[in-house]
Amino acid sequence: MLAGRLHLTDRALRMETVPVPEPRPGQVRIKVAAAGVCLSDVHLIDGTLTPLYLPEDVVTLGHEVAGVVDALGDGVAGWEPGRRVLLQAGERDRRGTVFTRGVDYDGGWAEYAVASQETVVPIPDDLPFEQACIIPDAVSTPWAAVTDTGRTRPGEAVGVWGVGGLGAHAVQLVRLVGAAPVIAVDPLAAARERALALGADAALDPADNGFADAVRQLTGGRGLDVAFDFAGVTPVREQALAVLGRRGRLVLAGIANKPVTIASDSPFNYLQQAVLGHYGSEAEHVEQLVSLAGQGRLNLSASVSDVLPLAQAPQAVQRVETKQGDPIRLILRP
């Protein structure tokens, strides 16, 4: 079968022909129908990210995967060939160590993929594979940030910095939980327009000299209750902290690998503000989103920016890296 394989020795993505994997006991093999291309995949290729637990120096990329059940390993019950499913982006071992699909073991940039039966999630018949595959990570990461880490409540004023692959979904999700107003912040005019189309109440340019005044006006003078950094840029954090209100929370979903600086602890303490780190999501978040999508509460059709053949994975990676067309998600189809 064809697979997109990352060779860590020279950080090269190569499209290679490899054997179709056989499911081991407790595993399910799926015929991949769609796989997302994430900025994390780009960072694995460029060396910004490195697998922690990969036993070899080659791995099939792809942690956002959907398809149909194709074969069952020994001891697997409750699944049958032809069932439409998505795969969780990773799994924990008995010690709690998280192993990520397409990073620490082979992922879904391939015609077939194997997965532990516990990581297979059924999807509704009317949920397209191209939308289902991005629920793990692209949608579940901001969902977990909004509901768990940020604990966003109805009526709270929310700011979303960075309306890209994660932030675009965050705009929809904070609106879904009842946040108001929803303020999107992005330097790109096209991204701001997209945010408004996705349900933001306002979209601001962070470079605007009247930015802070605009936030105060939109929030009735109280400032933001929750600010989400999906950009992973130090100036974003400084700007967001400056417009937080009493008991405001700054959630760091983007990774900058830089220090987080609080200009002065006096107002920060007096206003009882907080900075919260966030990473990934849990299995229940994916299951919640599948349920919401199945019940028509979440429409991800606008998230699929383009669908490309699996063989064009290197071109898809280049498009994500260069932000060509400002995509939310590019999808590979074997």
Side-chain angles (χ1 to χ4, degrees):
M1 68 173 186
L2 183 66
R5 305 273 283 169
L6 171 61
H7 292 254
L8 291 169
T9 51
D10 55 358
R11 295 287 174 170
L13 172 64
R14 300 190 178 102
M15 304 309 297
E16 300 176 339
T17 301
V18 299
V20 174
E22 293 296 328
R24 298 192 300 271
Q27 288 188 330
V28 173
R29 183 174 70 201
I30 74 162
K31 181 176 176 57
V32 177
V37 181
C38 178
L39 189 59
S40 297
D41 298 312
V42 175
H43 290 330
L44 285 165
I45 296 169
D46 68 21
T48 304
L49 296 176
T50 296
L52 293 177
Y53 308 112
L54 183 67
E56 302 174 353
D57 62 357
V58 183
V59 65
T60 300
L61 293 176
H63 56 274
E64 299 178 343
V65 190
V68 297
V69 174
D70 176 72
L72 308 177
D74 292 340
V76 174
W79 297 104
E80 63 282 339
R83 186 71 181 273
R84 303 175 83 256
V85 299
L86 61 74
L87 303 182
Q88 297 278 5
E91 56 191 283
R92 280 189 171 86
D93 67 8
R94 294 178 180 179
R95 296 174 296 180
T97 303
V98 177
F99 295 84
T100 302
R101 188 181 314 281
V103 179
D104 301 307
Y105 60 98
D106 284 342
W109 287 12
E111 295 179 60
Y112 294 88
V114 294
S116 299
Q117 60 181 327
E118 295 83 5
T119 66
V120 182
V121 180
I123 60 175
D125 289 341
D126 59 355
L127 179 61
F129 290 118
E130 292 81 7
Q131 297 177 36
C133 74
I134 65 173
I135 288 178
D137 190 23
V139 191
S140 65
T141 293
W143 178 245
V146 167
T147 59
D148 274 5
T149 304
R151 298 192 178 278
T152 310
R153 296 186 292 270
E156 289 194 313
V158 170
V160 176
W161 272 258
V163 192
L166 298 181
H169 295 120
V171 168
Q172 299 172 75
L173 297 169
V174 293
R175 186 180 178 90
L176 183 63
V177 300
V182 176
I183 304 170
V185 185
D186 201 291
L188 299 177
R192 296 195 299 273
E193 292 173 6
R194 178 169 63 199
L196 293 172
L198 292 172
D201 297 296
L204 304 180
D205 184 344
D208 191 326
N209 290 333
F211 177 85
D213 290 336
V215 172
R216 281 191 288 270
Q217 183 175 7
L218 287 164
T219 60
R222 76 178 190 269
L224 296 176
D225 296 297
V226 197
F228 293 95
D229 169 22
F230 288 102
V233 180
T234 297
V236 163
R237 289 140 185 215
E238 296 171 348
Q239 187 174 56
L241 281 167
V243 292
L244 283 183
R246 179 171 293 278
R247 297 185 181 275
R249 291 94 69 196
L250 169 60
V251 179
L252 306 182
I255 298 175
N257 288 320
K258 298 289 180 62
V260 178
T261 302
I262 297 170
S264 173
D265 59 359
S266 295
F268 185 83
N269 291 349
Y270 176 73
L271 295 174
Q272 297 177 280
Q273 295 170 339
V275 176
L276 304 168
H278 178 78
Y279 185 82
S281 61
E282 300 295 334
E284 64 263 24
H285 296 118
V286 171
E287 294 163 2
Q288 290 164 3
L289 290 163
V290 170
S291 176
L292 288 167
Q295 297 179 62
R297 300 295 183 90
L298 182 63
N299 185 350
L300 299 174
S301 59
S303 300
V304 180
S305 303
D306 200 359
V307 180
L308 297 85
L310 173 63
Q312 293 183 19
Q315 292 93 317
V317 168
Q318 184 179 30
R319 285 174 60 177
V320 172
E321 185 175 23
T322 60
K323 294 182 170 55
Q324 180 184 338
D326 192 23
I328 297 179
R329 268 298 185 271
L330 299 179
I331 307 298
L332 299 176
R333 179 186 292 159

